[in-house]
Amino acid sequence: MKLVELHTKADRLTGSYYLGYLVYQNEDLTVLIGLDDDANASGLILVNNQDLVGMVEQSPSLAYCQRLIDEGKSTDPFQLMPVNQELLKGGLSNFFEAGKAALFNKLPVNVTLNNGVIYSGIVTEATLEELRIRQIDGNFALDRIHSVIPMKQISSLEINSALGKMWSEYQDSDIAGNPYDLVELYLDWLDDDRFGNYLLGRVLLEDDHYLLFESINDYGQLEAICLVNRDDIIHECTASPVIEFYSFLLTRNQEAGIFDLNQLDHLAQSLDHVPSPLEVLQNAGQQLVSVDDYAAPGEMTGYIQGLTDSEVYIADPVTGQVAPFAIDRICTIDLASSELEKMKEYLAAQE
């Protein structure tokens, strides 16, 4: 099977694209076995050919994925392939058949419309003209209202995703409360489109100025060991449906041995104090660093080109453009993270 990158008209609205192995293409659909950001197996992705604007076989993202595949780092940590294979045996030549399969197997779906709107939930009815879905809401419960989606408006449909599978498992879980002392940290990022979002994870150590924080990703896995500037925290939450869901994911992923795939935790275990940002930057040397400045729009990952007691100069690893950051205005800085590991692999794949 070929490794491809698909772009659709809806991509222009969602800012995304699809990576995966091309399974087949008929008059109506293109079907992929999807890959996630780490080139690991994901669910099946069905794309409406009328919304398909391009299929690419060479790109930086594909080179990155191929490198991980060649190194044996592309796996199936969430055990999705057995169900993928069973679904493909049944034939998924149109969205109606995919909807019936999701309904019969009780598999959540992600449906992207051609206007960029995304529905995630459980299929309750599938006809040749429409899908009816009960959406999964922000509290990880099902809406009582059934959303009606005309088939002709669907740009793509994903079935058997990792988060969908884990949400289904969560419905049968008896884990409640906050056994891991997880916290949602809401940060005051100015001029940042992520304002209002939060970091989710555990506080490992703290002093008067910074938290040493273990950040959790969307799949309930260890994402980063980072410093968080206490001055930028505007709200904390330790009890919510999100925390209960991710407490389940932590337990699940630890039992499956996939919580800390990049082996980041050994760094946290070796620290007996909260390092300052300057200490982190000094120790980084010529390695990649990732910082989030209070006033800058977004995270900056790159190489240190200069360092003083008050400023750090970071070069973009792709363009070489250098940007200054005031050390005392750094909101977060990673000591180690999956994002840094991904960037190292990405850059190596471009050489």
Side-chain angles (χ1 to χ4, degrees):
M1 291 185 289
K2 290 191 299 185
L3 190 61
V4 298
E5 178 179 308
L6 297 186
H7 295 265
T8 67
K9 296 174 185 176
D11 290 344
R12 300 165 186 167
L13 301 168
T14 64
S16 62
Y17 53 86
Y18 300 106
L19 288 173
Y21 293 103
L22 179 63
V23 180
Y24 61 81
Q25 191 171 32
N26 62 23
E27 183 179 349
D28 300 315
L29 293 181
T30 299
V31 180
L32 301 182
I33 295 174
L35 295 178
D36 66 15
D37 292 341
D38 296 315
N40 293 320
S42 186
L44 296 180
I45 300 170
L46 292 74
V47 177
N48 185 344
N49 287 341
Q50 291 187 355
D51 206 48
L52 183 64
V53 295
M55 181 186 297
V56 178
E57 296 183 31
Q58 290 186 335
S59 73
S61 296
L62 288 173
Y64 164 72
C65 285
Q66 189 62 60
R67 177 182 172 86
L68 293 178
I69 293 167
D70 293 343
E71 294 177 350
K73 296 178 181 178
S74 175
T75 61
D76 183 17
F78 300 105
Q79 298 297 304
L80 301 174
M81 284 305 296
V83 174
N84 283 347
Q85 297 294 350
E86 287 301 314
L87 290 170
L88 290 172
K89 289 178 184 177
L92 299 175
S93 60
N94 54 53
F95 290 135
F96 170 58
E97 291 178 353
K100 286 197 304 179
L103 178 60
F104 178 78
N105 293 284
K106 298 180 181 179
L107 296 171
V109 296
N110 299 313
V111 181
T112 302
L113 305 189
N114 47 33
N115 62 3
V117 174
I118 300 174
Y119 291 84
S120 296
I122 296 292
V123 176
T124 58
E125 185 178 354
T127 70
L128 292 173
E129 290 75 31
E130 63 188 28
L131 285 180
R132 290 180 179 268
I133 289 178
R134 289 182 66 189
Q135 292 195 72
I136 301 171
D137 64 23
N139 293 329
F140 301 97
L142 288 175
D143 282 345
R144 295 197 302 177
I145 297 175
H146 295 236
S147 301
V148 179
I149 304 174
M151 292 290 190
K152 62 183 180 182
Q153 293 183 10
I154 298 177
S155 170
S156 64
L157 183 150
E158 181 180 13
I159 184 171
N160 192 40
S161 70
L163 274 180
K165 175 180 180 178
M166 291 190 287
W167 176 84
S168 295
E169 294 173 0
Y170 176 60
Q171 303 311 297
D172 299 323
S173 167
D174 58 2
I175 293 176
N178 188 6
Y180 296 100
D181 295 323
L182 294 178
V183 60
E184 299 169 12
L185 296 181
Y186 293 80
L187 306 178
D188 187 14
W189 279 305
L190 291 182
D191 301 323
D192 194 325
D193 60 10
R194 292 169 300 165
F195 183 83
N197 288 349
Y198 54 84
L199 293 177
L200 176 68
R202 298 185 281 197
V203 176
L204 302 176
L205 295 170
E206 58 185 302
D207 62 19
D208 292 339
H209 303 289
Y210 293 93
L211 304 179
L212 183 64
F213 194 71
E214 183 181 77
S215 179
I216 307 303
N217 69 12
D218 290 344
Y219 296 100
Q221 297 170 302
L222 183 55
E223 178 178 54
I225 306 296
C226 61
L227 288 182
V228 181
N229 192 332
R230 296 181 75 118
D231 289 343
D232 294 328
I233 300 173
I234 58 175
H235 178 64
E236 297 181 18
C237 176
T238 58
S240 72
V242 171
I243 283 176
E244 292 202 7
F245 177 63
Y246 279 90
S247 292
F248 161 75
L249 292 189
L250 259 67
T251 297
R252 178 204 186 278
N253 291 337
Q254 286 174 340
E255 290 176 351
I258 59 171
F259 171 68
D260 185 13
L261 292 179
N262 290 298
Q263 299 182 332
L264 306 177
D265 192 52
H266 73 280
L267 171 63
Q269 299 298 328
S270 70
L271 294 173
D272 58 3
H273 70 290
V274 180
S276 68
L278 181 59
E279 184 180 346
V280 173
L281 293 169
Q282 288 172 335
N283 289 337
Q286 300 301 310
Q287 299 298 312
L288 282 169
V289 296
S290 181
V291 303
D292 228 324
D293 182 86
Y294 181 73
E299 188 176 61
M300 175 67 172
T301 300
Y303 295 104
I304 297 175
Q305 295 297 298
L307 180 64
T308 70
D309 289 344
S310 60
E311 285 191 311
V312 60
Y313 298 85
I314 299 177
D316 185 287
V318 177
T319 67
Q321 184 174 355
V322 177
F325 289 84
I327 292 176
D328 64 355
R329 298 312 302 133
I330 288 177
C331 179
T332 65
I333 179 170
D334 291 348
L335 283 71
S337 70
S338 58
E339 193 62 36
L340 288 173
E341 296 304 314
K342 289 178 188 177
M343 181 59 77
K344 291 175 186 176
E345 291 283 358
Y346 176 84
L347 294 172
Q350 310 313 308
E351 294 177 351

